[in-house]
Amino acid sequence: MTQSSAAPAQNNSNLTPATDLVTVSRAVADLRRGEIVLVQGHDNGEAHSVAVIAAEPLSQIGFDRLCDIAREGEAPAIVIPRVRAKSLGRACKNDPFIAFVSADRSGINADRLGEIANPLLDLDALPKGDWRPVSMAESAAIRLAKLARLLPAVVTVPVAPDQLENLARAQNLLVLQSESINGYENASAASLREVSQARVPLENAENATVIAFRPEDGGQEHLAIVIDEPAKDKPVLIRLHSECFTGDLIGSLRCDCGPQLRGAISEISRGGQGGIVLYLRQEGRGIGLVNKLRAYALQDRGFDTLDANEELGFDADERVYRPAAEMLRQLGFETVRLLTNNPEKMSGLESWGVKVSERVPHKFPSNGHNEFYLQTKKERAGHLF
């Protein structure tokens, strides 16, 4: 389906950027399948458009299709994180991403580009080529790859702005504006609506109700676990918990997520005043499960938990807290007591209008496998242990 511009979404806040949730969501799915999408941005007031394909699922068929789009004489570029370029021998400035353009089109293929993009691989040498800064459209394409929970690396070719519509129609490609991609997470959070709830007795909290919230584009649901019947006219005890498959479900000892989740439920239940655990679908500090496993592999090579995320091309913490604030607003709570050791969760909630009246410490003993992880959170991320 061809969609050539970002149509404004219905917003419930003047802080929400206009973005087409459905188009961005479809583009995320296309990128994960190794399909091409078209992105338009503006550099110094001038439109700049690119055809984009993600480096991680890149196939030779997809790469050949992308090359067919390129104008005569134009070579594809691979956009990779600065840290990856540095590991490949390129001294970079502080730009977070940089583009590499091979000088020899015949010497580059999908497999080679995948190797260049993969931060877990050591390469002997790069093909001959040039490095250049990225455009706004390419920067937005990286954001799209992050939304797809893929490695933040894309392959692009420029598209003349006046040919964008024709190309989209001829090849049935989606067109996105960079502003629409960059505003997606906020707009998605603003569109959250309750879709289901049920009483779910828990091991340590028998009077519990699980409420599911879904965004308008049909994306992942966030969950509110409401324990007992907390009063709405005084601060409610809450925990913001980012999902952790390894810690929550299979008992990983590399983190403290499982004890934090179960400990929060127990503490809220014991308090007798009720409270809420917001279970946010932001695995691996927002980078996704597959990338978290990659980060674990890097940690086994000596990186700490923050550097491992950055070595993959992500921020140390990619989580957003507007979904939590929106869920609390719809549940009728404006002031909270927050079970956390992380000051960023406090500031994140307050930036979206939720008052944090008290930080309630929430720490657990190390287990012999996660001392370095916890020490890193304390010394580098400012967690209050």
Side-chain angles (χ1 to χ4, degrees), residues 78-218:
I78 182 167
V79 180
I80 59 175
R82 172 177 54 85
V83 288
R84 178 57 174 166
K86 184 178 180 181
S87 72
L88 296 174
R90 169 67 180 180
C92 299
K93 297 181 180 179
N94 291 326
D95 294 335
F97 290 87
I98 189 167
F100 173 74
V101 185
S102 174
D104 181 10
R105 163 82 177 273
S106 63
I108 202 82
N109 58 30
D111 289 341
R112 187 60 167 159
L113 289 170
E115 292 170 354
I116 292 172
N118 190 344
L120 276 72
L121 295 180
D122 296 324
L123 301 184
D124 294 332
L126 276 175
K128 292 182 179 180
D130 296 317
W131 297 88
R132 63 163 175 78
V134 301
S135 67
M136 290 295 293
E138 288 170 326
S139 179
I142 288 291
R143 181 74 244 160
L144 194 66
K146 287 184 175 184
L147 291 173
R149 302 300 189 254
L150 298 171
L151 283 173
V154 295
V155 183
T156 72
V157 295
V159 175
D162 60 354
Q163 293 300 310
L164 200 64
E165 296 288 345
N166 291 337
L167 180 60
R169 283 192 292 268
Q171 299 208 21
N172 197 29
L173 303 177
L174 288 171
V175 181
L176 299 93
Q177 303 299 317
S178 60
E179 297 88 348
S180 191
I181 296 170
N182 294 332
Y184 172 81
E185 286 180 306
N186 278 346
S188 177
S191 76
L192 284 172
R193 297 292 181 270
E194 179 184 330
V195 291
S196 182
Q197 67 169 274
R199 188 180 66 85
V200 182
L202 304 178
E203 186 176 41
N204 295 313
E206 291 193 15
N207 185 19
T209 299
V210 177
I211 305 173
F213 293 81
R214 180 185 295 147
E216 284 182 0
D217 66 324

Side-chain angles (χ1 to χ4, degrees), residues 84 87 114-123 151 290-291 293-299 301 303 308 311-312:
R84 178 57 174 166
S87 72
E115 292 170 354
I116 292 172
N118 190 344
L120 276 72
L121 295 180
D122 296 324
L123 301 184
L151 283 173
V290 172
N291 287 317
L293 296 178
R294 292 178 174 130
Y296 280 173
L298 289 172
Q299 289 171 36
R301 300 181 187 181
F303 291 90
E311 190 72 11
L312 293 173

Side-chain angles (χ1 to χ4, degrees), residues 58-74:
L58 181 64
S59 67
Q60 190 60 42
I61 291 174
F63 181 58
D64 290 342
R65 283 189 62 206
L66 189 75
C67 291
D68 289 341
I69 290 174
R71 293 172 294 189
E72 186 174 354
E74 293 276 8

Side-chain angles (χ1 to χ4, degrees), residues 252-263:
S252 169
L253 300 178
R254 297 188 72 135
C255 63
D256 57 345
C257 298
Q260 284 194 337
L261 174 62
R262 287 177 282 278

Side-chain angles (χ1 to χ4, degrees), residues 290-367:
V290 172
N291 287 317
K292 184 174 81 171
L293 296 178
R294 292 178 174 130
Y296 280 173
L298 289 172
Q299 289 171 36
D300 288 340
R301 300 181 187 181
F303 291 90
D304 69 30
T305 182
L306 303 182
D307 284 340
N309 279 20
E310 292 176 344
E311 190 72 11
L312 293 173
F314 295 93
D315 293 339
D317 194 333
E318 295 268 351
R319 288 176 293 183
V320 295
Y321 296 108
R322 187 168 188 181
E326 182 60 32
M327 293 161 73
L328 287 169
R329 187 190 69 78
Q330 293 188 33
L331 291 171
F333 297 96
E334 298 180 353
T335 305
V336 302
R337 299 169 57 232
L338 183 60
L339 278 162
T340 190
N341 307 313
N342 185 357
E344 287 194 6
K345 288 186 178 180
M346 299 170 63
S347 58
L349 274 182
E350 290 184 327
S351 70
W352 291 109
V354 177
K355 181 180 178 181
V356 180
S357 67
E358 179 187 0
R359 183 188 74 84
V360 181
H362 194 57
K363 60 183 180 180
F364 297 85
S366 59
N367 58 39

